[in-house]
Amino acid sequence: MIKPSIIIFMVSTLISSCKEERKNPISVIEVNVTNQQLLDSLIIYDKDKSWEIKSILRFKESNRVIDTMKILENKFYQIYSFLDGKQGELGELVISPNSEITLFIDEKELFESIDYSGNFKLSNNFLAYSKKYQNLLSEMVRNGIKQEELEILIHEKGELINKKGISLNVVDSLSSYVKLKFDEFSDILKQKNIKYLYKTSIVNKIGNNFFFKDIKNNVKTLKDFKGKYVYIDVWATWCKPCKVEHTFLKQLEEHFSNNNELQIISISTDREYDKWEKYITKNSIKGVQLYSGSNSDFVKFYDIGALPRFIFLDKEGKVISPDEIRPSNSKTLEKLEATVYNNVNKR
């Protein structure tokens, strides 16, 4: 017969254990990656708590990673990929306290391959299914398509998502949530497409007819660089991603330092000239530094919004690309060399 004192001890221990579990609920996430080459890591965030990081899954040592997360609420969490050092939104997933979730993913088909198992398998796969079509639509409008065509595509993909939800018999609340998110995405995409169409429309148009100030407050124009290809870095002193790119931009400047065919220029869209001038002087920043301001004709013509932004002009000052790839992209040097040196060889 078990003594009452032992029973009391066992019950108190069990109660204490349950309290501790509620206090520190641990959820497990496992990720398996196939064809892993450039995928550095996956990060799970809690958007509602100032983008608190819940898990970082790194793939440097293995393509199978397991991590634990302290999860206090049953809700949607955001998952992002770091592919070749660049962050990209991969979607959402449902996680609850003490849940176990496994994600299978193929780097060659990032969005198409997502497959969840474990807790919330059905819900998470439905969320991934919707995200797959959002990504597909985003890729389709990258260079701009007719707005009427986009409307048709959005309707088609929305219907596919709705039918998928019905076939999986997902709960109404999740189905409504996914529809709301898809509608919000679609509205934003339509606005982006208008911008993409405009950018496409200015290709091959003269894009150097603008005036700026230099560090000595002298007036400068892009026409001064006619006869050279011009790679333009559009930035601002408050922009952290811009400063990250400047390390790679400096490498490009050094690479082409003895070449007279290409000119690299940095143009600031800071609101205040004095703030930009002090920043350039204090940090002894070299190269061609010009100031545009935030509401200039240059900003309006190129529809400058998010920074950093890069622009590529030909020798006549015509726009080759109003939204060129960044210096940190390994393909940038290759593209610039191909353009510049091919032109030299044609002489």
Side-chain angles (χ1 to χ4, degrees):
M1 181 177 180
I2 301 177
K3 294 181 180 180
S5 60
I6 296 177
I7 294 175
I8 292 173
F9 173 76
M10 292 173 63
V11 172
S12 63
T13 301
L14 179 60
I15 292 173
S16 176
S17 176
C18 289
K19 286 182 178 179
E20 185 64 26
E21 185 174 290
R22 287 196 296 270
K23 184 179 178 182
N24 295 303
I26 300 299
S27 295
V28 179
I29 179 79
E30 175 185 335
V31 180
N32 296 272
V33 182
T34 55
N35 295 311
Q36 188 268 328
Q37 291 184 331
L38 300 177
L39 185 63
D40 304 322
S41 58
L42 296 181
I43 300 182
I44 297 175
Y45 295 98
D46 186 344
K47 182 180 179 181
D48 299 332
K49 293 187 176 179
S50 302
W51 292 91
E52 176 187 357
I53 296 176
K54 307 305 293 185
S55 174
I56 301 179
L57 301 121
R58 305 184 189 279
F59 305 105
K60 291 183 179 179
E61 303 297 330
S62 173
N63 59 0
R64 177 177 179 268
V65 180
I66 300 175
D67 194 18
T68 56
M69 302 172 286
K70 184 178 179 181
I71 300 295
L72 302 177
E73 299 178 76
N74 179 354
K75 64 177 184 179
F76 299 102
Y77 293 85
Q78 286 65 42
I79 182 168
Y80 278 72
S81 64
F82 267 82
L83 193 66
D84 198 21
K86 298 178 181 63
Q87 181 172 257
E89 184 181 358
L90 203 57
E92 293 181 297
L93 71 160
V94 183
I95 312 175
S96 72
N98 304 306
S99 59
E100 295 184 6
I101 296 171
T102 301
L103 167 60
F104 297 90
I105 192 168
D106 186 333
E107 185 180 313
K108 289 185 176 180
E109 298 180 313
L110 209 56
F111 291 91
E112 296 82 356
S113 63
I114 293 176
D115 183 27
Y116 288 97
S117 63
N119 297 109
F120 308 108
K121 172 182 176 179
L122 185 149
S123 298
N124 287 333
N125 281 322
F126 182 49
L127 287 166
Y129 185 83
S130 177
K131 185 61 181 178
K132 175 182 70 173
Y133 282 116
Q134 290 181 35
N135 178 68
L136 179 62
L137 287 167
S138 295
E139 291 297 322
M140 294 176 78
V141 303
R142 195 158 296 279
N143 294 316
I145 60 176
K146 291 182 179 179
Q147 203 72 351
E148 298 81 4
E149 184 180 345
L150 178 58
E151 293 276 2
I152 294 172
L153 289 170
I154 287 174
H155 177 74
E156 289 177 351
K157 306 313 178 191
E159 283 296 305
L160 289 173
I161 294 169
N162 181 54
K163 290 178 181 178
K164 185 69 171 181
I166 294 172
S167 69
L168 292 175
N169 197 29
V170 298
V171 295
D172 290 342
S173 58
L174 178 60
S175 181
S176 297
Y177 176 81
V178 168
K179 184 180 185 307
L180 174 64
K181 286 294 182 180
F182 184 78
D183 289 343
E184 290 176 349
F185 159 81
S186 299
D187 289 340
I188 294 173
L189 188 66
K190 291 173 189 176
Q191 294 304 312
K192 284 184 177 180
N193 188 54
I194 293 173
K195 290 180 176 291
Y196 291 146
L197 286 170
Y198 174 73
K199 289 177 184 177
T200 301
S201 73
I202 64 175
V203 172
N204 291 324
K205 289 187 176 180
I206 293 296
N208 68 348
N209 192 24
F210 305 102
F211 295 88
F212 310 90
K213 290 183 179 181
D214 67 10
I215 200 70
K216 295 181 180 180
N217 210 21
N218 296 318
V219 176
K220 297 289 183 178
T221 174
L222 289 179
K223 289 182 179 179
D224 295 338
F225 306 98
K226 190 174 181 180
K228 293 184 178 183
Y229 289 100
V230 180
Y231 184 72
I232 302 173
D233 157 42
V234 187
W235 72 293
T237 57
W238 49 261
C239 173
K240 290 183 179 180
C242 297
K243 295 172 184 177
V244 171
E245 290 297 328
H246 283 176
T247 300
F248 299 95
L249 189 70
K250 187 176 180 180
Q251 292 174 3
L252 285 178
E253 288 176 331
E254 291 174 352
H255 183 84
F256 289 100
S257 60
N258 295 320
N259 187 288
N260 293 320
E261 300 291 317
L262 175 71
Q263 180 66 58
I264 296 175
I265 302 173
S266 291
I267 299 177
S268 164
T269 61
D270 278 282
R271 290 184 179 180
E272 300 174 13
Y273 172 87
D274 290 344
K275 183 177 180 180
W276 166 77
E277 187 271 336
K278 288 178 181 177
Y279 183 88
I280 295 295
T281 303
K282 180 181 178 181
N283 293 280
S284 301
I285 299 177
K286 306 301 180 183
V288 179
Q289 302 292 330
L290 301 177
Y291 175 80
S292 161
S294 60
N295 196 36
S296 64
D297 290 339
F298 170 78
V299 168
K300 293 174 183 176
F301 178 80
Y302 284 105
D303 192 25
I304 305 295
L307 297 175
R309 175 85 169 269
F310 296 88
I311 299 165
F312 195 27
L313 307 181
D314 70 11
K315 289 189 171 187
E316 297 299 316
K318 293 181 180 179
V319 179
I320 294 176
S321 172
D323 197 357
E324 189 54 88
I325 52 180
R326 300 182 178 191
S328 58
N329 190 318
S330 59
K331 295 181 180 179
T332 303
L333 177 59
E334 180 183 340
K335 179 175 182 179
L336 294 179
E337 282 189 330
T339 303
V340 172
Y341 294 129
N342 281 345
N343 181 71
V344 171
N345 294 333
K346 288 178 181 179
R347 289 180 177 180

